């Protein structure tokens, strides 16, 4: 049975609301609605994809800058990490999530749009050979844009990745 588009959107939003560990911000008709997930949901997704994470403080407190937290991470951001892991075939270690201490802004770590990844030859080679170089960010970090529009910035000792979407999940 084919449902009208608006009804399908409402059903999708309802399904996301009732899923454990998942919350929807916005309405079914809001084009900019994002789905927020809990730290536990994110770590389960990452563990299942073979993605590791670490923090200098060995903790996950969102309000502690030395921790790595995934609380209030956008679902699309977590899926973007899974997409990168699968596409690159590299070991992937997340070193920064939604914890305090990163730059502010709409598309920020705190708001669930960004993850930091530890540098490795495999990940760096994949990004530089697969994505399009788009110039330097305001702070001088070289940037690369994926085909789906996500932005990978080389911050020297790690990759700072802005996920507008899941990267083709």
């Amino acid at each position: 049975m084919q449902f009208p588009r608006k009804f399908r959107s409402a059903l999708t939003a309802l399904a996301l609301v009732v899923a454990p560990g998942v919350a929807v911000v916005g309405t079914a008709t809001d084009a900019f609605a994002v789905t927020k997930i809990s730290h536990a949901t994110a770590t389960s997704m990452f563990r299942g994809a073979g993605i590791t994470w670490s923090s200098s403080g060995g903790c996950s407190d969102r309000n502690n800058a030395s921790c790595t937290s995934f609380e209030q991470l956008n679902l699309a951001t977590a899926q973007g990490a899974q997409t990168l892991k699968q596409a690159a075939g590299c070991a992937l270690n997340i070193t920064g999530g939604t914890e305090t201490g990163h730059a502010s802004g709409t598309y920020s770590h705190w708001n669930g749009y960004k993850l930091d990844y530890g540098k490795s030859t495999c990940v760096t080679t994949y990004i530089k050979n697969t994505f399009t170089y788009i110039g330097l960010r305001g702070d001088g970090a070289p940037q690369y844009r994926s085909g789906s529009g996500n932005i990978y910035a080389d911050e020297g000792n790690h990759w700072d990745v802005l996920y507008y979407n899941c990267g083709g999940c």
Side-chain angles (χ1 to χ4, degrees):
M1 176 177 213
Q2 189 70 13
F3 292 110
R5 181 183 200 133
K6 195 167 192 170
F7 186 70
R8 284 194 316 263
S9 295
L11 284 176
T12 300
L14 180 60
L16 291 172
V17 169
V18 298
V22 177
V24 174
V25 177
T27 65
T29 58
D30 183 356
F32 300 101
V34 295
T35 302
K36 299 291 186 177
I37 60 175
S38 69
H39 181 82
T41 298
T43 57
S44 177
M45 290 174 69
F46 296 148
R47 193 174 292 113
I51 298 169
T52 60
W53 59 95
S54 57
S55 72
S56 57
C59 49
S60 62
D61 181 352
R62 179 169 160 83
N63 296 302
N64 182 335
S66 66
C67 297
T68 298
S69 174
F70 305 122
E71 197 61 42
Q72 295 297 302
L73 188 68
N74 294 343
L75 176 60
T77 302
Q79 291 170 325
Q82 291 175 311
T83 300
L84 176 62
K85 168 71 173 148
Q86 182 179 10
C90 302
L92 196 59
N93 183 60
I94 301 170
T95 59
T98 61
E99 66 280 348
T100 191
H102 299 280
S104 62
T106 301
Y107 297 104
S108 64
H109 282 272
W110 183 262
N111 288 336
Y113 288 92
K114 286 185 157 194
L115 288 173
D116 288 341
Y117 299 113
K119 280 287 219 39
S120 73
T121 302
C122 184
V123 170
T124 297
T125 300
Y126 176 79
I127 292 169
K128 289 183 175 183
N129 289 343
T130 308
F131 303 146
T132 304
Y133 176 73
I134 58 169
L136 301 178
R137 199 167 61 182
D139 62 0
Q143 299 179 104
Y144 299 81
R145 180 179 289 123
S146 71
S148 62
N150 297 321
I151 308 293
Y152 293 71
D154 184 346
E155 293 192 345
N157 64 350
H158 69 274
W159 285 98
D160 176 76
V161 183
L162 168 56
Y163 288 102
Y164 293 111
N165 57 64
C166 68
C169 59

